[in-house]
Amino acid sequence: MPSQVRVRFAPSPTGYLHVGGARTALFNWLFARHHGGRFVLRIEDTDLSRSSEEMVEGILEGMRWLGLDWDEGPHYQSRRLERYREFAAGLFASGKAYRCFCGAAGDDRDYRGEPSGAADHACPGLDAVQSARRAEAGEPFALRFGVPPGKTAFEDSVFGRIEVDHATLEDFVLLRSDGVPTYHLGVVVDDLDMAITHVIRGADHISNTPKQILLYEAAGRPLPVFAHLPLILGPDRQRLSKRHGATSVMAYAEAGYLPEAFFNFLSLLGWSPGDDREILDRRELVSVFSLEGVGRANAVFGTDKLDWFNGQYLRALPAARLRALAGEELKAVGVWREPPADYAPETLDAVLELLKSRVRTPSDWSGTFRAFFTEDFAYDPAAAAKFLSDPRLGGLVAELEARYRDEESFTLESTERLLRELASERGVKAGLLINAARVGLTGQGVAPGLFEIMLALGRNRTLARLGRLARALQNGKTGNE
């Protein structure tokens, strides 16, 4: 291990920070923090037609949301063009690169390692004088690296030994005819100048590594350690894309996911702590992270698992933060402008405490559990059809409401006792009344325990909703007509 670990995250600002990029940044950050090293942020913005300040800010915003603070940078490739040209000129002067006049082949390809398709051309054999004359005459040319015969092998920290025959590599472009560097040149010069010791990136870059190793060797510089991360797939085992849902990190932030839950979830996409633990906070992850824990198998991104993580973190939040998150969600979707007068903080806390084991995302508060926060809710049609169809319920619910109104105490014990006494007296199963009352109080057929719901809602709200249900049953309007 070098005296100081130095890693980098180097996104292209041609889109917002996506899940795959965020996972790469997170693994680099964890590795640097584990080893007391430096995490460098570099913006690879030489594709000027597709890069934008808006996208740069979007990437930085996503990193800040996840808490991925960087130690150096952001460095911008667009501000280092002369340095790349200087490096390329040195390769040309040493005979390791040559001018290519083949329609400046590869100018608008080979940016991120795409094959130029120009392996067979006459330019390598051009007479030096003739090549210089054509350049002086203003004929456009690209500067191309001459791949020598032989093989390149390297030891990847994840995938093991990888060997590539140079016969499968084209002479790749270093500088396009407009003087803009390609990906291979820019990334190697930056990694050399920034003293990067470990290159941790996605497995889709494995094919680029042999070309970049050739540039290290041509410069007479030692190689960094390479570690390629498994790809992230959707649930259908295809490459993660927009068809699987949101891929932008900030889309999940805007949907109300907790950054600490998303961080934990991402950390386990392709990496394992070596045991069965799933809930690990940031400090624990820094402590145990290692490249040895990165697997070769592609990781699967599933929102069901993300929702599970988010639920685990939500239920561990202190009451004040949980209350604030719920309030933000309810205001955002128009359930509230402000909490109703009878929702004192302690009342709201009691409701949230009752629900938090069932809530996975903030939208659950305004969706599934809407009735806990407003009188503006409907009965779920399936629940109504299943639990409100017995013709006896109209009278039974009205009588239950009356008995609760006449009873001075309103406790878990008294609410349950009165319901069961009524059921026994009328010769019906208690479940008939319990299920009907649950629909009346929450709009749902599945919810927390009925008597816990009553206490969380409070006496007045419970009585009002039972009265509403009784009238709906008696008027035959339980289908939300």
Side-chain angles (χ1 to χ4, degrees), residues 4 40 61 63 109 258 293 302 312 341 360:
Q4 185 186 55
V40 180
E61 183 183 22
M63 293 182 68
R109 288 168 288 183
L258 298 174
Q312 299 299 308
R360 305 180 91 183

Side-chain angles (χ1 to χ4, degrees), residues 395-406:
L396 288 170
V397 172
E399 189 169 355
L400 179 64
E401 187 265 342
R403 292 194 181 194
Y404 283 150
R405 191 176 296 279
D406 292 340

Side-chain angles (χ1 to χ4, degrees), residues 211-354:
K211 298 175 184 178
Q212 292 163 15
I213 287 175
L214 288 173
L215 292 180
Y216 276 94
E217 292 174 343
R221 300 285 292 277
L223 301 179
V225 175
F226 290 98
H228 290 90
L229 310 176
L231 299 180
I232 300 178
L233 309 180
D236 59 358
R237 300 303 193 271
Q238 299 299 309
R239 185 80 177 265
L240 189 68
S241 69
K242 291 181 179 179
R243 71 175 180 276
H244 296 111
T247 59
S248 164
V249 165
M250 290 311 296
Y252 291 96
E254 291 159 8
Y257 287 89
L258 298 174
E260 52 267 49
F262 202 84
F263 189 104
N264 192 167
F265 169 72
L266 272 187
S267 72
L268 297 177
L269 285 181
W271 174 82
S272 168
D275 52 40
D276 294 333
R277 284 180 296 168
E278 291 189 288
I279 302 299
L280 297 100
D281 64 25
R282 189 177 300 254
R283 183 181 56 198
E284 290 173 311
L285 286 166
V286 167
S287 174
V288 300
F289 185 82
S290 71
L291 293 177
E292 289 74 21
V294 179
R296 298 185 183 185
N298 292 328
V300 177
F301 183 101
T303 53
D304 285 347
K305 191 65 175 179
L306 173 58
D307 288 350
W308 180 84
F309 271 99
N310 205 62
Q312 299 299 308
Y313 277 85
L314 274 174
R315 70 186 57 172
L317 291 179
R321 188 177 176 197
L322 197 64
R323 189 191 320 136
L325 288 172
E328 289 170 9
E329 167 65 16
L330 294 166
K331 289 178 184 179
V333 300
V335 174
W336 285 351
R337 288 187 179 179
E338 294 296 335
D342 57 346
Y343 268 103
E346 59 271 17
T347 302
L348 184 55
D349 288 349
V351 172
L352 295 174
E353 181 66 27
L354 178 64

Side-chain angles (χ1 to χ4, degrees), residues 404-419:
Y404 283 150
R405 191 176 296 279
D406 292 340
E407 177 78 19
E408 288 188 9
S409 67
F410 193 79
T411 64
L412 277 177
E413 294 75 15
S414 67
T415 50
E416 181 173 5
R417 173 177 53 78
L418 287 173
L419 183 145

Side-chain angles (χ1 to χ4, degrees), residues 45-380:
D45 60 343
T46 55
D47 187 354
L48 301 178
S49 65
R50 299 174 60 212
S51 301
S52 72
E53 272 302 316
E54 179 187 1
M55 295 303 178
V56 171
E57 184 51 40
I59 290 169
L60 300 185
E61 183 183 22
M63 293 182 68
R64 293 187 193 107
W65 181 69
L66 282 170
L68 300 176
D69 55 316
W70 51 93
D71 303 303
E72 298 176 24
H75 302 290
Y76 291 82
Q77 284 191 333
S78 61
R79 302 172 189 174
R80 290 172 45 80
L81 298 181
E82 286 306 314
R83 172 62 180 132
Y84 306 133
R85 292 166 186 152
E86 173 191 333
F87 189 93
L91 293 177
F92 177 76
S94 66
K96 294 171 182 174
Y98 59 88
R99 299 187 185 101
C100 178
F101 298 91
C102 301
D107 271 6
D108 46 13
R109 288 168 288 183
D110 205 36
Y111 177 68
R112 278 277 181 181
E114 300 169 20
S116 69
D120 299 320
H121 47 79
C123 295
L126 278 180
D127 177 85
V129 174
Q130 183 183 7
S131 173
R133 285 176 179 170
R134 291 176 67 176
E136 291 168 2
E139 187 174 345
F141 64 88
L143 198 64
R144 197 181 282 275
F145 183 82
V147 175
K151 295 181 179 180
T152 288
F154 66 97
E155 194 69 26
D156 187 271
S157 292
V158 176
F159 289 91
R161 181 177 174 81
I162 296 174
E163 185 175 292
V164 176
D165 193 318
H166 292 179
T168 65
L169 304 178
E170 76 279 6
D171 287 356
F172 53 94
V173 174
L174 299 174
L175 286 177
R176 299 181 295 191
S177 60
D178 58 4
V180 174
T182 59
Y183 170 67
H184 295 303
L185 177 62
V187 72
V188 170
V189 174
D190 285 346
D191 285 347
L192 285 172
D193 289 354
M194 297 172 192
I196 299 303
T197 61
H198 294 74
V199 174
I200 303 170
R201 59 188 179 185
D204 50 336
H205 283 286
I206 288 178
S207 62
N208 296 327
T209 303
K211 298 175 184 178
Q212 292 163 15
I213 287 175
L214 288 173
L215 292 180
Y216 276 94
E217 292 174 343
R221 300 285 292 277
L223 301 179
V225 175
F226 290 98
H228 290 90
L229 310 176
L231 299 180
I232 300 178
L233 309 180
D236 59 358
R237 300 303 193 271
Q238 299 299 309
R239 185 80 177 265
L240 189 68
S241 69
K242 291 181 179 179
R243 71 175 180 276
H244 296 111
T247 59
S248 164
V249 165
M250 290 311 296
Y252 291 96
E254 291 159 8
Y257 287 89
L258 298 174
E260 52 267 49
F262 202 84
F263 189 104
N264 192 167
F265 169 72
L266 272 187
S267 72
L268 297 177
L269 285 181
W271 174 82
S272 168
D275 52 40
D276 294 333
R277 284 180 296 168
E278 291 189 288
I279 302 299
L280 297 100
D281 64 25
R282 189 177 300 254
R283 183 181 56 198
E284 290 173 311
L285 286 166
V286 167
S287 174
V288 300
F289 185 82
S290 71
L291 293 177
E292 289 74 21
V294 179
R296 298 185 183 185
N298 292 328
V300 177
F301 183 101
T303 53
D304 285 347
K305 191 65 175 179
L306 173 58
D307 288 350
W308 180 84
F309 271 99
N310 205 62
Q312 299 299 308
Y313 277 85
L314 274 174
R315 70 186 57 172
L317 291 179
R321 188 177 176 197
L322 197 64
R323 189 191 320 136
L325 288 172
E328 289 170 9
E329 167 65 16
L330 294 166
K331 289 178 184 179
V333 300
V335 174
W336 285 351
R337 288 187 179 179
E338 294 296 335
D342 57 346
Y343 268 103
E346 59 271 17
T347 302
L348 184 55
D349 288 349
V351 172
L352 295 174
E353 181 66 27
L354 178 64
L355 297 179
K356 70 179 185 180
S357 65
R358 296 168 178 265
V359 171
R360 305 180 91 183
T361 67
S363 62
D364 289 340
W365 285 315
S366 59
T368 303
F369 300 115
R370 177 187 179 94
F372 285 86
F373 307 101
T374 177
E375 297 306 310
D376 180 20
F377 68 93
Y379 302 146
D380 174 66

